[in-house]
Amino acid sequence: MPDNLRRETRARLICMLAASDELPAAASAQSFARAARDQGETVLVVKYGLAEPSSQPTLADVLSGEAQLCDTKLICANSGIVTLLAGRAKLEDMLGILAALSLSYDNVIIAPPAGCTPAHVRLAVAADVNVLHFDSRGDKFMRAYWMLDALRARCPGLDPMLVACGPKADAEESYEMLRETVREFLGAPLPLSAIISHRGMADGVATHILSALNHDDAQKLRA
């Protein structure tokens, strides 16, 4: 396949959303990056919450004019995955850079801090793929409902892939409650894409999601 056709049909900005704190969205992002590289795709991951070397420029330095974007990239010699450190950059200030970066890689992956701010919504609208992680404990699934409500209010056709986080039985039960709540108040409930019962399962989830995305790409090519 010619490079220009591959870029046009595969380039993706992928947003790993978390409806609440302490969910493995960042682990899913890293696992997705490895799975994509295993299939020969180029990958850039934007990371938060790292212990950053004082000499390593971050996106915050780029936004303040103290560094060039090319100086912020770290390349893993073993995997070929490119990483950018967000530093203290605010999500709302990063959207333009993320859009530009998504033109240069098959996959640009970001797992922003948990939340449902206007910046989260704008990022999700700009993304080609959204994966929404939600906590299956108690009534915390309602945070996923609120996020979905905000996303659909801004972009009615925007439905993320759902990933329930917690023991399998709890995840299935909370998903059923989420599905019924969405059906009653928003209509068109989403299917459950995957369950992460512990952090080690993120690799399987990433492979499942990548397989689904590649299937969609093949369908678009045939069309």
Side-chain angles (χ1 to χ4, degrees), residues 168-182:
K168 188 173 185 292
D170 292 346
E172 291 174 344
E173 182 179 356
S174 65
Y175 166 69
E176 287 301 318
M177 290 188 287
L178 174 61
R179 184 178 66 82
E180 287 305 308
T181 305
V182 171

Side-chain angles (χ1 to χ4, degrees), residues 5 8-12 128-129 213-223:
L5 179 58
E8 180 181 350
T9 56
R10 186 175 292 174
R12 296 180 292 232
D128 300 289
V129 179
L213 294 179
N214 287 339
H215 174 74
D216 289 343
D217 287 345
Q219 293 289 92
K220 291 175 183 177
L221 277 176
R222 284 195 290 269

Side-chain angles (χ1 to χ4, degrees), residues 12-32:
R12 296 180 292 232
L13 174 59
I14 300 166
C15 182
M16 296 287 185
L17 296 165
S20 54
D21 293 327
E22 299 181 354
L23 293 178
S28 292
Q30 197 63 36
S31 296
F32 187 98

Side-chain angles (χ1 to χ4, degrees), residues 146-168:
W146 296 328
M147 289 189 72
L148 182 58
D149 186 20
L151 294 175
R152 285 187 174 179
R154 177 70 181 269
C155 184
L158 198 165
D159 282 340
M161 295 182 176
L162 289 180
V163 175
C165 302
K168 188 173 185 292

